[in-house]
Every structure is written in structure tokens, then in C-alpha cells.
Amino acid sequence: MGAQQKIAIVGAGLGGAAAATLLQQAGFDVTVYEQSPEFSRLGAGIHVGPNVMKVFRRMGLEQPLEQMGSHPDFWHSRDGLSGDYLSRIPLGEFARREYGAAYVTVHRGDMHDLQINSIAPGTLQFGKKLETIVDEGDQVRLTFTDGSQATADIVIGADGIHSKIREELLGAEAPIYSGWVAHRALIRGENLVRHADVFEPCVKWWTDDRHMMVYHTTAKRDEYYFVTGVPHEAWDFQGNYVDSSQEEMLAAFEGYHPTVQKLIRSTEDITKWPLRNRNPLPLWSRGRLVLLGDACHPMKPHMAQGAGMAIEDAAMLTRCLQETGLTDYRTAFELYEANRKERASRVQAVSNANTFLRTQEDPAWVYGYDVYAQPLKSGVAA
Ligand code: FAD
């Protein structure tokens, strides 16, 4: 037998990092190429549902993630004006019992750091921005903007919403600007204790065209985070995000409940992000190239499941490659799409519609899912 076949992953975000760890644990030879020179602890939180915690369990990272995150007992939805409760979705012990794992909210940078440190030493290369990719038939050649090249037997495009690999498969097409932005801010605990108020561990404030989602990002609950969805006609700024301000937010949430006003007034820095998405793609792979996560099915973030879908993709793709072996990657890619597309597209649609958990619905279809417990459906073209 010749040299071991190689897998290249482009992008070490939340999905690419999960794929690297899971594939390496399964014995594959994996190298990850990431454009950033390094990662920093950007100011943002993330929800990790029980469906995603089951994949962290498989990676051996469930305990550290549980220890670093906050464990809300409920997801509360409240009317943004009156404060009336619209839903109280049980999490906490209920989630462990009913869905098979914890529900955690955590700082995105802390979680990502945990993931990056679980990739085998020496197999993640920073500063490698993919410029061109050529499927040569018997291998794939990657060329990076620094002039260096690499080859691999298959390439996983985990390179996010602006994916170069999606572009190679389907042609250049900018993602769709949704008409909404997200404001994001981390609030230090000491800025909140000044207020005589109750700041719930996980609460979404809603009115018809906008919302604010709020939760803790640390186990000590000394950091509180909000992320909004607010209509914004056009995104005509350069870059991934721009600075916002208390004034802008107070205007956007004028008339909202006093607790929301206090949160806005407690912020030090606020940023503003465009919310973009794409329609479901007609194909997820071609030849030796395959997509996962936001490269494949980006969505507005309102179900807090975008990274969850990327991480579930990573788990299913690993499972399919284990099933077929790397030589039969074509069958693995067909199996992968057949077993992911329906769920990822459904989550994408519900997330874009921003209806999830606004009323007292049952989220078992999202949180109860276990990517490892699903019988594999045939990969015959969908
Ligand atoms: P990314 O995390 O975007 O990673 C892509 C990586 O590829 C990056 O590291 C990038 O630098 C790299 N890359 C890009 N191009 C190249 C190239 N040419 N060469 C080399 N490397 C490249 N999801 C949740 O599950 N829960 C939440 O609570 C949640 N909240 C969110 C809030 C907001 C405001 C937003 C915008 C999103 C939120 N999401 C949430 C969604 C989540 O962030 C994404 O779905 C997730 O990051 C997708 O992971 P990914 O690995 O596919 O892509």
C-alpha cells in the first residue's frame, strides 16, 4: 500500500476544527489550512444545544465545555414591550434527561480555543488563504496567497459563508443580505450589579420585526452577552462588522422593556454585523471537493444552530468516510448529503424565519437529535 491518503480542510472555524478533530480521531491523515494568522477572543457568545454537546462528547470535549459555560434552566421568550412571558422552554436537568446532554451558553472564543487545542499538534497551518483549487482527477492541488501549494486526496470546504470552494463548485455569487443586522455586546458583570433588576440566564425579547437575545457566556456568570436582529435597509459598510453605539441601539429599541434599556446602557463596546444567507445549494460536493457548515448552508442566526449544523455536518461526514473508506470518497459524499441535507435545510428555513421558541413549542426535533444514532440512509442521489 502507498502513502496514507490525505484530507485537507480549508478553514479552522467551528465546523472545520470539529471535522479535523473527529477525522484525526478516526485515524485519517488531516491537514487544516486557515487564512487567519491567529485567532483572538472576539466579543461574542454562542449557544450549544444538546444535539451539539453529543458531538463534543465524542470529541472528548464535553466536560471542559460544560465547565466553562453557563447552564440556563430555561429559554425564556418575552414580549419586548410588556415583558410578558411568551414561552418558557425547559433546559437544565430537563435537557439532560430528555435530549441526552446539557444545554450550554459560552463565549464563542473560549469554545473555539478548546476546539483548536484538540487538533493534533502540527496539523493546523495558519496564514494559509486559499487562492485557487484544482481537482486534477487523481488529487487536488491547493494554492495559497503566499504562493505555497499543497495536495490532498479530498478537500473539505469549511471556509464559511464566502467559501472559495463553494465558488469553485457553483460559480461566484455573493451571499444574500437579509435586510437585518445583529448588534453584539459583552457586558461585564460589575456593570450590571449597579441595577436593581433580574437579568435572566437565557432570554429573548421579541417584537414583530426585531429582537434581542441575552445570555451568560461564562460558568461564573460574570459576563453577559446580547445579540440582536434589527431591520437595516442596506449593508453598505466595508468589512465583516462595524462599530455601533448606545445611541443607535437606544433608538432601535425605543419603547422596549426597562430591562433592555438597562442592558444597552451597561455596554462599553457594541458592534454591528450584517446577517447574510443563501438558498439551499443544488450540490454539496463534486469530484474530490465537499462542503460543510456555512460554506454549504449559511443562515440567519436566530435559532442559534448555525455552528451546531456545521459541527453535526463534521460528525456525519466523518461517519460516512469511516463507513466507506477514503478511496470510495464518492459514496461517502453521497451518503453525507443524503443524511444531512434535509435537516440542515429545515434548520436553515426555520432560522431564517425567526420563529423558533417564540411560543411554547417542543424543540425535541432539534435538541433530541443524535448524529451518531441515526441509521444511515442510502446515498442514492437525492
Ligand atoms: P466559520 O466559523 O465562518 O469558519 C470559516 C473559517 O474559514 C474561518 O476561520 C475563516 O477565516 C476561514 N476561511 C475563509 N476563507 C478562507 C480561505 N480562502 N482560505 C483559508 N481559510 C479561509 N451558531 C450557533 O450554533 N449558535 C449561536 O448561538 C450562534 N450565534 C450567532 C450569532 C451571530 C450574530 C452570527 C452571525 C452567527 C451565529 N451563529 C451561531 C452561526 C455560526 O457562527 C456559524 O454558523 C458558524 O460559525 C459556521 O461555522 P463554519 O466553520 O462553517 O464557518
Side-chain angles (χ1 to χ4, degrees), residues 166-197:
R166 189 215 65 84
E167 186 179 317
E168 176 63 23
L169 296 183
L170 290 158
E173 191 181 352
I176 303 161
Y177 172 61
S178 67
W180 267 262
V181 295
H183 302 91
R184 288 166 136 175
L186 278 174
I187 305 172
R188 287 189 290 127
E190 55 260 46
N191 288 352
L192 290 181
V193 293
R194 294 191 267 120
H195 304 287
D197 205 338

Side-chain angles (χ1 to χ4, degrees), residues 43 80-81 180-187 205 207 209-214 224-232 242-273:
L81 305 177
W180 267 262
V181 295
H183 302 91
R184 288 166 136 175
L186 278 174
I187 305 172
W205 300 87
T207 47
D209 71 344
R210 66 198 61 207
H211 68 264
M212 177 187 280
M213 177 87 230
V214 202
Y224 206 42
Y225 166 74
F226 68 66
V227 53
T228 73
V230 172
H232 196 287
V242 294
D243 288 337
S244 179
S245 63
Q246 287 192 8
E247 293 68 33
E248 181 181 342
M249 284 208 65
L250 288 168
F253 288 91
E254 192 180 351
Y256 254 63
H257 192 271
T259 303
V260 173
Q261 311 289 334
K262 287 175 197 165
L263 286 176
I264 297 170
R265 290 184 197 283
S266 301
T267 56
E268 288 158 304
D269 299 302
I270 306 173
T271 53
K272 183 166 74 172
W273 302 65

Side-chain angles (χ1 to χ4, degrees), residues 10-16 33-36 39 45-47 108 128-130 158-160 164 182 184 215 225 227 275 292-295 301 304-308 310:
V10 179
L14 302 176
Y33 301 96
E34 166 57 46
Q35 67 179 2
S36 308
F39 290 123
I46 194 159
H47 297 244
R108 186 189 170 103
K128 293 290 175 191
K129 180 172 185 177
L130 181 72
D159 48 345
K164 195 83 190 162
R184 288 166 136 175
Y215 52 92
Y225 166 74
V227 53
L275 297 181
L292 67 71
D294 276 10
Q305 281 285 333

Side-chain angles (χ1 to χ4, degrees), residues 69-73 189 192 201 216-224:
S70 162
H71 293 250
D73 286 329
L192 290 181
H216 295 286
T217 54
T218 59
K220 285 191 287 181
R221 296 190 172 171
D222 57 358
E223 202 174 68
Y224 206 42

Side-chain angles (χ1 to χ4, degrees), residues 11-40:
L14 302 176
T21 297
L22 290 164
L23 286 163
Q24 287 174 342
Q25 288 176 346
F28 292 100
D29 180 348
V30 179
T31 305
V32 191
Y33 301 96
E34 166 57 46
Q35 67 179 2
S36 308
E38 60 181 356
F39 290 123
S40 55

Side-chain angles (χ1 to χ4, degrees), residues 96-134:
R96 287 185 197 276
R97 199 172 60 242
E98 295 297 317
Y99 310 134
Y103 192 104
V104 172
T105 61
V106 67
H107 193 290
R108 186 189 170 103
D110 294 344
M111 178 174 116
H112 193 207
D113 196 45
L114 186 67
Q115 290 189 254
I116 292 298
N117 286 324
S118 77
I119 298 173
T123 63
L124 166 55
Q125 298 190 21
F126 284 103
K128 293 290 175 191
K129 180 172 185 177
L130 181 72
E131 188 165 45
T132 58
I133 184 160
V134 181

